[in-house]
Amino acid sequence: MRLSSLADYAVVMMSAAARHCGGSCRLNATLLAEETALPLPTVQKLVSKLSAAGLLESARGTGGGFRLARPPAAITLADIVEAVEGPIALTACVDGGKHDCCVEETCRVKPHWNVVNGAVKGALAGVSLASLSANMSEIA
């Protein structure tokens, strides 16, 4: 399993946002693009996705920008990944509405994939944005 580049960039961007004032002050996309070395259009796209998912609050105009919608400790890696990738599903058969597997009708493994998906999501949910944005010296 590998995250898409966009999901990886979202984690990098959200971690940088959390390091600024604990996420309570407003940032702008240009500043975040410079700090993370991500292209500005990518940051703008991610701000839109993360705002739609309720992870960022944005305001337009003078004094506008965006900030974390919740404290970094209340945002998880699972929240960020799902905001960009959609629901965590390792196989297409458990991704709601998709029926493109040629062995779906006789598969004996399909009933178990929800347990696996839950374990992966649980592991990602166990990592907070606060821990991702902490300095390594704070962790050691």
Side-chain angles (χ1 to χ4, degrees), residues 17 23-27 55-58 65-70:
S24 62
C25 64
R26 293 216 183 268
L27 302 166
L55 299 179
L56 292 177
E57 295 175 344
S58 60
F66 60 88
R67 65 179 173 208
L68 298 179
R70 305 190 298 258

Side-chain angles (χ1 to χ4, degrees), residues 14-118:
M14 291 289 285
S15 295
R19 285 190 298 274
H20 284 274
C21 315
S24 62
C25 64
R26 293 216 183 268
L27 302 166
N28 65 52
T30 303
L31 171 72
L32 217 46
E34 289 171 0
E35 182 173 326
T36 60
L38 294 172
L40 181 58
T42 301
V43 171
Q44 292 168 327
K45 180 178 183 175
L46 288 170
V47 165
S48 177
K49 284 182 170 283
L50 295 164
S51 293
L55 299 179
L56 292 177
E57 295 175 344
S58 60
R60 296 181 184 260
T62 305
F66 60 88
R67 65 179 173 208
L68 298 179
R70 305 190 298 258
I75 297 173
T76 69
L77 187 51
D79 295 329
I80 300 168
V81 169
E82 288 188 324
V84 176
E85 301 282 347
I88 295 169
L90 297 181
T91 61
C93 64
V94 292
D95 190 8
K98 291 190 177 183
H99 301 285
D100 57 358
C101 178
C102 64
V103 297
E104 183 175 8
E105 296 298 321
T106 59
C107 182
R108 292 178 180 227
V109 177
K110 180 181 175 181
H112 303 282
W113 277 115
N114 284 327
V115 173
V116 175
N117 289 335

